[in-house]
Amino acid sequence: MWDITWLKTPITGIWYYAYVIIDLYDRSVISWAVHENEGDEHSARLFRDACRKQGCSPQFVHSDNGNPMKGVTLVGLFYHLGIVPSYSRPRVSDDNPFIESFFKTLKYKAGYPKYFDSIDHARSWLADFIDWYNHHHWHSGMQYITPMQKRKGMHYHIFEARNRTLITAKEKFPSRWGKRTTRKFNVKEQEILNPRIKKSA
């Protein structure tokens, strides 16, 4: 999944643009960049660098319908790499929910600047934030593990230990639980971007 968000500068109407790619499975930030304008050339370079660093390319990439997402340069790169682009449905504002959630976490983070003095300031701040997000942010949507813990497969042992601790605690202090069961941390082997919700008749 990927998208672009605007970063405020001291000048009204002038913005920096943060390009971010996130992995659906573990929510980790795969690659990012900050530029002074929007353009599919920046987008293509971002994906080219990401694929080079990862040593592979994704099968699918989801984004909204903006011009930088559907430009000839980027679409041509996707075709060359065998990537199938997926786009948000028209007039569906939450069709790329995880990247939007990431941007909310970014802009509500304590210490988020009122504005960025320079593009170097924006890049430096975002680099520090992404390092924190990938390695230290306990993600509520993934049962309070960090993206890197899931990426490295550490969540299997973490969830097992948590479940064991809760069961032991209930056995030792059953009155605190009463008839309630202990919470169970379950490993999800796959993630779905926009699961279909069956409506009851």
Side-chain angles (χ1 to χ4, degrees):
M1 311 165 291
W2 82 283
D3 203 352
I4 301 170
T5 193
W6 296 8
L7 305 177
K8 191 175 182 180
T9 74
I11 304 172
T12 301
I14 302 297
W15 307 83
Y16 298 126
Y17 300 88
Y19 295 61
V20 180
I21 304 172
I22 290 182
D23 184 81
L24 172 61
Y25 178 67
D26 54 42
R27 312 290 204 279
S28 63
V29 176
I30 300 298
S31 192
W32 64 274
V34 178
H35 296 289
E36 294 178 329
N37 52 49
E38 287 185 320
D40 66 321
E41 296 87 357
H42 296 320
S43 308
R45 188 179 307 115
L46 180 72
F47 275 95
R48 196 178 296 113
D49 292 345
C51 292
R52 186 182 304 115
K53 290 176 184 176
Q54 297 295 324
C56 62
S57 58
Q59 185 176 359
F60 300 98
V61 170
H62 185 76
S63 69
D64 64 25
N65 289 280
N67 290 332
M69 289 75 177
K70 304 181 84 169
V72 173
T73 303
L74 181 61
V75 172
L77 176 66
F78 283 175
Y79 179 80
H80 174 71
L81 296 175
I83 298 173
V84 178
S86 166
Y87 300 106
S88 297
R89 293 165 292 179
R91 297 177 297 280
V92 181
S93 60
D94 59 350
D95 225 19
N96 200 1
F98 298 131
I99 192 80
E100 296 298 341
S101 176
F102 168 80
F103 286 145
K104 183 175 181 180
T105 301
L106 166 74
K107 295 184 177 182
Y108 279 79
K109 177 78 166 66
Y112 181 76
K114 183 177 180 181
Y115 56 79
F116 294 92
D117 296 314
S118 66
I119 195 167
D120 288 336
H121 178 206
R123 287 168 175 165
S124 175
W125 195 92
L126 193 58
D128 289 341
F129 172 82
I130 288 173
D131 179 73
W132 168 83
Y133 178 86
N134 276 345
H135 297 277
H136 304 287
H137 174 52
W138 287 2
H139 203 297
S140 60
M142 297 192 301
Q143 303 175 85
Y144 298 98
I145 55 173
T146 71
M148 282 295 110
Q149 285 175 332
K150 186 166 185 179
R151 191 167 188 81
K152 295 177 180 179
M154 298 167 65
H155 60 301
Y156 289 94
H157 301 295
I158 292 171
F159 289 170
E160 182 181 351
R162 288 178 183 175
N163 291 334
R164 194 164 53 241
T165 299
L166 287 170
I167 291 171
T168 301
K170 184 178 180 181
E171 291 174 348
K172 192 172 183 179
F173 305 102
S175 61
R176 293 184 181 180
W177 269 265
K179 295 181 178 180
R180 292 176 296 137
T181 59
T182 58
R183 175 177 178 176
K184 185 172 178 61
F185 292 86
N186 296 306
V187 173
K188 295 176 66 176
E189 298 295 349
Q190 64 178 3
E191 297 285 346
I192 301 174
L193 181 62
N194 287 307
R196 293 181 178 179
I197 301 175
K198 293 184 179 179
K199 295 182 179 180
S200 57

